């Protein structure tokens, strides 16, 4: 009988216990504490002061402490933690994607009146509207000037002025409603950009700290290897 237990003809992988929860997990679900950046290790040791340097920690627990560390870091820098910053900190633990398509999300919630006002505002601010309206004014004035005796709106075009005033009075609030929704869309877009940029900044900071930690560990190993080589050289000389 082999030393390793088998299940369905396949050898089961050895399991290790998480130093925080005590649960036995596979090696792929655990991270050595030596590979974790020192600042995060210090935060974990605040709750577990007897944690050994060669301990293994579950990835879920490590992500949870990473989120907690980021929250405390943001609170220390800004004095208060907003809902957006808390959401970014939680996304670091859950590996959630924060980027959103603001255009689709905002456009799906519009009512029929809002869609109509956006269409009218878009047309009212285009060259097409300017050309069509200029042609309408030109035809109106030329016709009433040519039909001087039987004109329905002779000079000074009082009916035309009334129509223009009515169009301006109606068009102004429609454009303002459309601009208000555009401001709300821009606000959502800026909040989404802030969340993504904040998460990217925290990820880059964490990556730099982790790389620095790994470089320091590598230098320590190289120094130990060099010291052993020097000892062997000295022994051979003797």
């Amino acid at each position: 009988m082999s030393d390793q237990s088998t299940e369905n003809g396949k050898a089961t992988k050895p399991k290790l216990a998480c130093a925080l929860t005590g649960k036995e997990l596979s090696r792929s679900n655990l991270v050595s504490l030596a590979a974790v950046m020192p600042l995060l290790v210090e935060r974990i040791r605040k709750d577990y002061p007897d944690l050994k340097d060669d301990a293994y920690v579950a990835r879920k627990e490590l992500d949870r402490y990473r989120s907690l560390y980021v929250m405390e870091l943001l609170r220390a820098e800004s004095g208060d933690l907003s809902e957006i910053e808390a959401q970014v900190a939680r996304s670091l633990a859950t590996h959630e994607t924060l980027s959103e398509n603001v255009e689709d999300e905002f456009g799906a919630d519009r009512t029929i009146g809002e869609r109509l006002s956006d269409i009218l505002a878009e047309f009212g601010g285009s060259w097409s509207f300017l050309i069509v309206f200029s042609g309408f004014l030109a035809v109106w004035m030329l016709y009433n000037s040519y039909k001087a005796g039987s004109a329905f709106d002779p000079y000074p075009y009082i009916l035309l002025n009334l129509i223009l005033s009515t169009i301006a009075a109606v068009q102004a609030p429609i454009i303002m409603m459309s601009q208000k929704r555009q401001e709300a869309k821009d606000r959502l877009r800026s909040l989404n950009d802030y969340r993504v940029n904040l998460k990217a900044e925290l990820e880059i900071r964490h990556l730099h700290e982790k790389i620095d930690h790994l470089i320091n560990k590598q230098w320590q190993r190289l120094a130990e290897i060099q010291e052993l080589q020097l000892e062997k050289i000295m022994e051979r000389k003797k």
Side-chain angles (χ1 to χ4, degrees):
M1 184 176 179
S2 60
D3 295 337
Q4 294 182 343
S5 61
T6 59
E7 183 179 356
N8 296 329
K10 295 182 179 180
T12 58
K13 296 181 180 180
K15 294 185 177 181
L16 298 173
C18 173
L20 304 185
T21 61
K23 295 181 180 180
E24 290 188 352
L25 300 169
S26 62
R27 181 65 182 82
S28 60
N29 293 323
L30 295 169
V31 178
S32 175
L33 204 65
V36 181
M37 65 178 188
L39 294 176
L40 188 55
V41 174
E42 291 179 6
R43 177 60 189 87
I44 297 175
R45 282 204 168 106
K46 288 182 179 180
D47 298 335
Y48 298 90
D50 298 331
L51 197 63
K52 297 181 180 180
D53 293 336
D54 57 348
Y56 285 87
V57 181
R59 292 186 181 274
K60 290 185 178 180
E61 288 296 313
L62 189 63
D63 290 337
R64 184 173 68 85
Y65 269 98
R66 184 184 177 193
S67 175
L68 185 61
Y69 167 75
V70 170
M71 285 185 179
E72 294 176 353
L73 180 65
L74 292 173
R75 189 178 290 111
E77 290 181 352
S78 60
D80 191 14
L81 193 65
S82 64
E83 178 60 29
I84 296 177
E85 292 171 339
Q87 182 183 2
V88 171
R90 288 192 298 268
S91 70
L92 293 174
T94 59
H95 303 286
E96 177 187 359
T97 302
L98 291 179
S99 58
E100 299 176 353
N101 192 338
V102 179
E103 298 290 337
D104 292 343
E105 181 180 355
F106 191 83
D109 298 333
R110 290 187 303 171
T111 62
I112 296 177
E114 291 174 344
R115 294 176 186 272
L116 182 61
S117 64
D118 288 341
I119 294 174
L120 291 176
E122 183 179 359
F123 177 71
S126 64
W127 277 102
S128 300
F129 172 79
L130 184 61
I131 294 172
V132 170
F133 200 66
S134 298
F136 169 77
L137 294 177
V139 171
W140 183 291
M141 289 185 289
L142 288 174
Y143 177 82
N144 286 280
S145 298
Y146 179 74
K147 299 285 186 176
S150 60
F152 61 88
D153 186 24
Y155 183 84
Y157 314 117
I158 297 176
L159 180 58
L160 179 60
N161 289 327
L162 179 60
I163 294 174
L164 293 177
S165 300
T166 304
I167 292 176
V170 174
Q171 190 180 27
I174 291 177
I175 294 175
M176 291 178 65
M177 286 188 293
S178 180
Q179 288 178 345
K180 187 177 180 181
R181 280 191 297 278
Q182 185 64 39
E183 290 176 0
K185 185 192 296 184
D186 293 339
R187 193 179 303 111
L188 288 176
R189 188 183 293 112
S190 64
L191 290 176
N192 183 58
D193 292 341
Y194 175 71
R195 286 197 299 264
V196 173
N197 292 336
L198 179 60
K199 184 176 181 181
E201 180 181 351
L202 294 173
E203 290 280 10
I204 292 172
R205 180 186 297 184
H206 174 73
L207 184 60
H208 276 296
E209 292 175 352
K210 190 171 184 179
I211 290 175
D212 292 340
H213 173 62
L214 293 176
I215 290 175
N216 290 333
K217 296 287 290 185
Q218 189 69 24
W219 276 111
Q220 290 177 4
R221 291 177 182 176
L222 290 175
E224 292 174 359
I225 293 173
Q226 186 177 14
E227 186 176 354
L228 289 174
Q229 290 176 344
L230 291 174
E231 289 179 358
K232 288 183 178 180
I233 292 174
M234 294 301 294
E235 289 178 358
R236 288 180 181 180
K237 288 184 177 180
K238 292 179 180 180

